[in-house]
Amino acid sequence: MNKVDRFYRVIYLIILPFFQLFHPVRAVGREHIPEGAAVICPNHTAMSDPFFVVYAFKRQYPLRVMAKMQLMRLPFIGWLLGKAGVFGVNRNGADVTALKTAMKVLKEGHKLLMFPEGTRVGEGENVEAKTGAAMLAVRNQVPLVPVYVPAKKKWFRPTRVIIGEPFQPAVAGRKGTAEEYHAIAAELMARVRELERQAV
């Protein structure tokens, strides 16, 4: 186990009692989690969503997380998250550094958690997914894993996080085109919405 995974596990165990008591997570579809590298793609409605996904995947599948850069700039918290494998992305433009970090994460065989919508989306809103997750999956030849996290999370009651079946995006060439990436991103969000219908 490397240093990042050890730090990840320590933070995981420190926060775990809080979630077990106040926001227990009930994972559905853990059998769909692939071995090896993958891009984990949940919908995003609240700042707490990454924690719900982390606890749905449990310690067996540690995640590397792409988060907004502002979070990583917070004193101490940003340092702590960085030690646990979280890295920042500048959402105002093409962030080459974040892209290289994400590519490295996948090439090393880790699971990358990123929100394809790019920002928090209110319940009932429909936002076109960004193409970053699709591009990373294609270029690294790893699967995309759709995940649904409910917008409403009730205190002291289990929150069902649904993990969908992974799928390998197919493109005509090695890198894919912008149109192909947009089509893959649309399919990804359609699969997430299908998981939402299953949760009702």
Side-chain angles (χ1 to χ4, degrees), residues 100-122:
K100 288 181 177 179
T101 302
M103 296 279 279
K104 183 174 183 288
V105 162
L106 293 170
K107 285 178 180 177
E108 291 177 349
H110 302 294
K111 290 175 174 55
L112 172 65
L113 169 60
M114 62 184 297
F115 295 97
E117 293 160 308
T119 188
R120 294 194 301 275
V121 178

Side-chain angles (χ1 to χ4, degrees), residues 110-181:
H110 302 294
K111 290 175 174 55
L112 172 65
L113 169 60
M114 62 184 297
F115 295 97
E117 293 160 308
T119 188
R120 294 194 301 275
V121 178
E123 191 173 14
E125 290 184 56
N126 189 14
V127 174
E128 183 179 2
K130 299 187 182 301
T131 58
M135 182 272 294
L136 287 168
V138 168
R139 292 198 179 182
N140 291 277
Q141 296 184 314
V142 300
L144 293 165
V145 182
V147 178
Y148 173 69
V149 183
K152 295 178 180 177
K153 306 167 182 70
K154 296 181 180 179
W155 291 88
F156 304 105
R157 292 188 179 182
T159 296
R160 295 177 70 212
V161 175
I162 302 180
I163 303 166
E165 294 185 21
F167 71 101
Q168 190 81 43
V171 297
R174 167 72 179 178
K175 292 185 177 180
T177 65
E179 291 77 13
E180 287 174 322
Y181 290 149

Side-chain angles (χ1 to χ4, degrees), residues 15 36 40 44 52 87 89 102 123 133-134 141 145 150 160 171 184 187 191:
I15 302 175
I40 312 304
H44 195 16
F52 284 90
F87 62 96
V89 60
E123 191 173 14
Q141 296 184 314
V145 182
R160 295 177 70 212
V171 297
I184 294 167
E187 179 183 357
R191 288 174 179 248

